[in-house]
Amino acid sequence: GENVEQHPSTLSVQEGDSAVIKCTYSDSASNYFPWYKQELGKGPQLIIDIRSNVGEKKDQRIAVTLNKTAKHFSLHITETQPEDSAVYFCAASRGNQGGKLIFGQGTELSVKP
Amino acid sequence: GAVVSQHPSRVICKSGTSVKIECRSLDFQATTMFWYRQFPKQSLMLMATSNEGSKATYEQGVEKDKFLINHASLTLSTLTVTSAHPEDSSFYICSARDLETGELFFGEGSRLTVL
């Protein structure tokens, strides 16, 4: 089955700096790669996603890149703010599995003012 | 926007009792819902896929007789933790797939504490 590895497990940056979180996946049939932000005691919230027919997607300060050949994808947050502090999870799924997501281990991002 | 509601958000029970957690899609229909379990500082682990009108599909290692899933309507799936024990204490999260758009939405989670 699918296995998703996420690094780093913790990341501390200064406000205004960029943050990059990387994930690799094992199942070459995976074609959907969302990123979630989870605040303490809450459910995960989708922040950006990318499908396998696209190499990069950007939404304001957040961008995701996908390298299908290497089977890895990354989340980039620019101009980080203290409110970006949270746990971020990457995930992968096959389109024919109706939304069954396999999550990475999570990255605890801390943005220091 | 689409909302998935979980109830209760927090529950404390005694060891040996059963606890039911509800997952409702409030403004869309969902033939498929997913149940995840998350231990402190860990990732979300998929427990089972809940399909409306049919039996749930459990992930390897998840006891189907302990974690009973019922998806009786297009807007409601329930997870019952039977004969709960302290090791079942966890954060249980559901997600629901919008039947029309295919989008996936997560609930806010239910924290179970078994004494």
Side-chain angles (χ1 to χ4, degrees), chain B residues 2-93:
Chain B
V3 176
V4 174
S5 173
Q6 282 188 239
H7 178 80
S9 57
R10 292 175 181 268
V11 56
I12 300 172
C13 70
K14 292 182 179 179
S15 187
T17 61
S18 294
V19 174
K20 181 185 286 188
I21 301 170
E22 294 185 346
C23 177
R24 291 182 185 273
S25 55
L26 295 186
D27 53 2
F28 64 95
Q29 293 184 323
T31 54
T32 304
M33 293 185 177
F34 300 90
W35 285 97
Y36 291 84
R37 180 168 52 181
Q38 185 179 33
F39 292 109
K41 293 194 177 293
Q42 294 190 22
S43 187
L44 287 77
M45 299 301 294
L46 180 64
M47 298 175 67
T49 302
S50 170
N51 300 295
E52 187 267 337
S54 64
K55 291 183 179 180
T57 303
Y58 290 82
E59 294 299 302
Q60 193 173 7
V62 178
E63 300 175 57
K64 61 181 180 181
D65 294 331
K66 180 166 184 64
F67 299 100
L68 301 179
I69 292 172
N70 186 295
H71 194 154
S73 78
L74 287 172
T75 59
L76 174 65
S77 175
T78 60
L79 168 69
T80 301
V81 183
T82 62
S83 186
H85 291 285
E87 57 265 31
D88 298 322
S89 298
S90 187
F91 196 47
Y92 291 87
I93 305 171

Side-chain angles (χ1 to χ4, degrees), chain A residues 37-67:
Chain A
K37 177 182 181 182
Q38 186 180 31
E39 296 178 341
L40 192 63
K42 296 187 176 182
Q45 286 191 312
L46 179 69
I47 56 171
I48 197 168
D49 58 11
I50 192 167
R51 297 190 181 274
S52 59
N53 58 346
V54 176
E56 184 173 356
K57 184 176 178 181
K58 190 174 181 180
D59 182 5
Q60 299 183 346
R61 296 187 297 110
I62 295 172
V64 57
T65 59
L66 171 65
N67 183 327

Side-chain angles (χ1 to χ4, degrees), chain A:
Chain A
E2 174 67 280
N3 183 49
V4 179
E5 296 287 332
Q6 183 172 346
H7 299 280
S9 56
T10 60
L11 179 59
S12 182
V13 300
Q14 208 65 35
E15 182 177 0
D17 287 349
S18 296
V20 180
I21 302 171
K22 299 182 178 182
C23 288
T24 60
Y25 61 98
S26 61
D27 186 353
S28 56
S30 289
N31 57 7
Y32 176 64
F33 308 94
W35 285 89
Y36 289 89
K37 177 182 181 182
Q38 186 180 31
E39 296 178 341
L40 192 63
K42 296 187 176 182
Q45 286 191 312
L46 179 69
I47 56 171
I48 197 168
D49 58 11
I50 192 167
R51 297 190 181 274
S52 59
N53 58 346
V54 176
E56 184 173 356
K57 184 176 178 181
K58 190 174 181 180
D59 182 5
Q60 299 183 346
R61 296 187 297 110
I62 295 172
V64 57
T65 59
L66 171 65
N67 183 327
K68 283 194 298 182
T69 303
K71 289 191 279 189
H72 67 69
F73 55 114
S74 301
L75 176 71
H76 304 252
I77 306 174
T78 58
E79 301 172 31
T80 54
Q81 302 165 2
E83 50 266 39
D84 293 331
S85 297
V87 180
Y88 291 81
F89 291 97
C90 63
S93 78
R94 291 186 183 186
N96 63 359
Q97 290 188 338
K100 174 178 170 179
L101 293 173
I102 303 301
F103 283 84
Q105 293 84 353
T107 297
E108 185 172 2
L109 174 64
S110 175
V111 181
K112 300 186 184 303

